[in-house]
Amino acid sequence: MFLKIIRRSFRTMKDSYLIYILACSFAIGIFSILLSLVDNPKLKGDISIWSSGIANATLGFSVIFIFCAFVYMGFVGGFFIKQQAHEFKTFEKFGMARWTVIIIGFIQTVVVQLISWVIGVLVALIFQKFFGMLLLYLMGVKFGFAFLFTSNTFNLLLQIGIYSTLVFSIMNSFRVNRLLKNKKNRQKSLRLYLRIPSGILGILFFVSGLLVTVIFLGDIKGSQADKVLWELVFLMMAYLFGTYLIYFGFLPSLLTILQHIKRIAYTGINVFSFKYFKERLIRNTSILWFITELSSLALVLLSICYLGYQTIYNNYDYAHPFELTANQYTVKDIKKDLKENGSKITREYKTKVKMTVVQRSSNDQIIPGTFMSYSDYKKLPKSNISRNPKIGKKDFLILDYGYSVPGYVSNQSKEAVVKVKNADTIKSNKIGSAFPYGSTMYQGLMIIAPDSYYNDLDASVENTFYGWFFKNGDKLTKKQYEKLDSQEYTKGVSIKKADNLDETKLSAIDGSSNNTGTIFMDSSYSRQKSAKIQVDQITGFGIFIVALFSVALLIALGSVLTLRLLLRDDSEWKQLKTLNKIGVNKSEIKEIVKKETVYTFVIPIVFAVMQSYIVIALFGSFPQMDMLVPFILINLGYVALYGIIGFVTYLISWRSVNQKLN
C-alpha cells in the first residue's frame, strides 16, 4: 500500500520531482567531482602548487558547496510536503494512523534523496574526466588528466549520502506531523491599510539605498574610510529591508489598487490575473525576497571575481613587463645561458639608472631613490609605460606604492614632494606605479627625471637594467634557473642615516657580508615564465570554481521559482478550475499562467540587478578598471539564463494546469 500511494504521488507531481532531483543531482555530482580532485595523485605530482595550497582550497570549496546544497535540499524539500497537505489530511480522515502518514512522508523523501545521490554520483563518474580536463585547460597545464575515484572518496560520499538522507527524511516527517496537527489552514491576511505604509517604507528604503550608492561612489574615490564603512552598512540594510517591504507591502497594494480601477481591471482577464497573482505573491513573499538577495549576491561575486582575475593579471604585468629582466650583476650569466640555449631574442633593452637617497615629505621616510632619464624612459616599450601618466621633457614622474594601488594609475591631483640628497626638491603631481622593468627590480622610489636633472645628479650607486623578449621563450633549463634563483636577492643598498639628508650615505652591499644601517635588497633578475605559470594556474582554478558555484547557484535559484509555480496549493487549483467553469476559456487561463510566470521571474531580476549596481561603486577606487562593460555582460548572461528557465517553467506550468483542467 505504501508503495502504491508513493508511486501515485510521484506520478502526480512528476515534473516537480524531476526538476528537484536534477537540481540535487547536479549539486551532488559537482561536490563528488571536487572531492575526487582533492586526492588525485596526478594533480599532486605534476602541479607544484596543488599540494601546497590548491588541494586544501578545493576541499574547503567542496565543503561550502555541499553545505549550500544541503540548505537547498532541506528548504525546497518542504515544498512537496506542503503541496501534499490536503492529501495527507485526507488519509488521516479515512482512518489511516498518523504514524502511517508520517512514514509515507519519510519514505517519499528517502526515495527522492537516494535517487538524487545515485544520479549525482553517476554524473560525477561520467563527467569527472571532462571537468578534470577543463580544470587543467583553464590552469594552462598540458598533461593528460587521469580518471580516479579512490575508495576513501566513495566511502565518504556513501556516508554523507546516508546521513543526509536520514536527516532530510526526519525533517519532512516532522513537517508532516505539524501539518496533521494543524486541522485548519490559517492564512494570515493583513489589511490593505497595513500593507500600504509598509510598501511606502520599503520604497523609501530602496530609493535611499540607490541615492547613498551614488554618494558612496564619491566617498570611496575620495578614500574617506569612516564614511564608506557606515554607508556600506546602511546600503546593506536599506536594500535588504527595502526589497522585502516592497514585496510584502508595495506590490500587493499596487495590484489591489489596479484591481479596483475599473478601466484597468475589467479589460479582458486582468481582474482575475491581478487577484490571482496578488495572492500568489503574498504566499511567496519570503521566497521571492530570498531569491532576489541571493541573485544580487551572485552578480556581485561574479563581478568581484572578474575584478580579481583582472587584478592578478595586471599585477603580473606590473611585476614582469619583460619576459626576462636582469641587472648588471646577473646579465653576464644570463647572456651566456641564452647563447648556449640558442634563444631567439626578438627585442632587447638596456637602461642605465642612478641611485641616491630621497625623503618623502608625507612621512619624512628616508629611502633609496632610483632615477631614470626621460630619454631612456621613452625608449622603453609602450606597453611597459602606458599605465603611467604621460609626461613631457621637463616633467617628473614618481613611481611609488605609497600614492596609488599597485598596478593602477592614480587620477588624484596630489602634489608629491620628494627631497633628494644634494639636489633640488622635486614637486610633481605626476604619480604612477607601473615600474617599466618590474616591481621587484628596485626598492624605494623610482623617479623619471628630465635629462638635465638626471645628468647633474650626483649618484651614490649606479646600475643598469636589461630586458628581453623572445620568439619561443628564454629556453632556460631547470639547472640554469636554479643557479639564477640563488643570486636573486644577494645584492642591494644600505642607508646610514645622519642628522640631515645631505649627510646620509647610501652604498652598494653584498648580501653575504656583515652590513650596517637600513638594508634594501633588490632582485637581480625577473623571469616571466615561472611567474606566468603560477598566475595561470591560480586564475584558472579560480575561474573553474567560480563558474561551478555561479552556475549551480543560478540553477538552484531558478529551480526554486519553477517549483513554487508548479506546486500550487489546493485553493489555487480551485480558483483556476472555478474560472474555467464560469466561462473563462483555456486561452485566457493560459494568459494568466503566462503573466504569473513573467512577473515571478522578472521582478527578482529587476531588483537583483538594481542592487548589484553597488559593485560599480565598490570598484570606483580603481580608475583604470572599466567595470561597466563586464558588469553589463554579467547581468545580461544572468538575465538570459533566467529567461530560458522562465520560458521552460511556463511551458511545464501550463501543461500541468491544462492537465488539471481536463
Side-chain angles (χ1 to χ4, degrees), residues 147-158:
F147 173 87
L148 179 66
F149 255 82
T150 64
S151 58
N152 290 335
T153 303
F154 268 118
N155 291 334
L156 186 58
L157 288 174
L158 181 62

Side-chain angles (χ1 to χ4, degrees), residues 450-560:
D451 291 351
S452 57
Y453 188 97
Y454 176 83
N455 293 330
D456 294 339
L457 186 66
D458 183 17
S460 303
V461 178
E462 293 187 357
N463 204 340
T464 305
F465 294 119
Y466 300 82
W468 296 273
F469 292 103
F470 303 91
K471 186 176 181 180
N472 295 311
D474 55 41
K475 296 184 179 180
L476 293 178
T477 64
K478 184 178 180 180
K479 185 177 180 180
Q480 291 168 340
Y481 174 70
E482 290 175 350
K483 178 184 175 183
L484 277 176
D485 202 36
S486 64
Q487 305 176 48
E488 185 172 9
Y489 289 102
T490 57
K491 305 289 184 179
V493 293
S494 172
I495 292 180
K496 294 182 180 180
K497 295 182 180 180
D499 294 336
N500 56 66
L501 182 65
D502 290 340
E503 294 180 0
T504 299
K505 295 182 179 180
L506 181 141
S507 58
I509 61 169
D510 189 320
S512 60
S513 60
N514 294 323
N515 302 301
T516 58
T518 305
I519 308 299
F520 298 87
M521 303 301 294
D522 298 324
S523 176
S524 301
Y525 85 102
S526 175
R527 190 188 186 206
Q528 189 186 61
K529 184 177 180 181
S530 58
K532 188 176 186 301
I533 290 173
Q534 290 193 353
V535 168
D536 286 342
Q537 290 178 355
I538 294 172
T539 54
F541 174 76
I543 292 172
F544 178 77
I545 292 294
V546 169
L548 289 182
F549 268 71
S550 302
V551 172
L553 179 59
L554 293 178
I555 288 175
L557 295 177
S559 68
V560 171

Side-chain angles (χ1 to χ4, degrees), residues 4 9 35 92 124 135 179 186 205 208 230 259 270 381 389 424 445 461 470 480 487 501 520 587 597 607:
K4 185 177 180 180
S9 298
L35 206 60
E92 190 179 31
L135 173 62
L179 283 173
R186 296 180 180 177
F205 267 125
S208 64
W230 286 109
Q259 181 183 333
N270 283 339
D424 294 337
L445 295 180
V461 178
F470 303 91
Q480 291 168 340
Q487 305 176 48
L501 182 65
F520 298 87
S587 62
T597 306
F607 282 101

Side-chain angles (χ1 to χ4, degrees), residues 204-276:
L204 292 176
F205 267 125
F206 198 85
V207 172
S208 64
L210 295 176
L211 293 176
V212 172
T213 299
V214 177
I215 300 172
F216 181 70
L217 176 61
D219 288 343
I220 199 170
K221 284 184 177 180
S223 301
Q224 300 185 38
D226 294 338
K227 287 185 177 180
V228 165
L229 180 61
W230 286 109
E231 287 167 359
L232 188 59
V233 172
F234 176 81
L235 284 175
M236 293 176 62
M237 303 300 292
Y239 283 137
L240 286 172
F241 288 110
T243 307
Y244 184 81
L245 291 175
I246 287 173
Y247 285 152
F248 175 79
F250 177 74
L251 292 179
S253 302
L254 178 63
L255 291 173
T256 302
I257 294 170
L258 293 176
Q259 181 183 333
H260 288 83
I261 298 176
K262 187 174 291 187
R263 180 173 295 181
I264 296 176
Y266 289 92
T267 56
I269 59 169
N270 283 339
V271 65
F272 304 120
S273 59
F274 283 145
K275 184 177 180 181
Y276 181 75

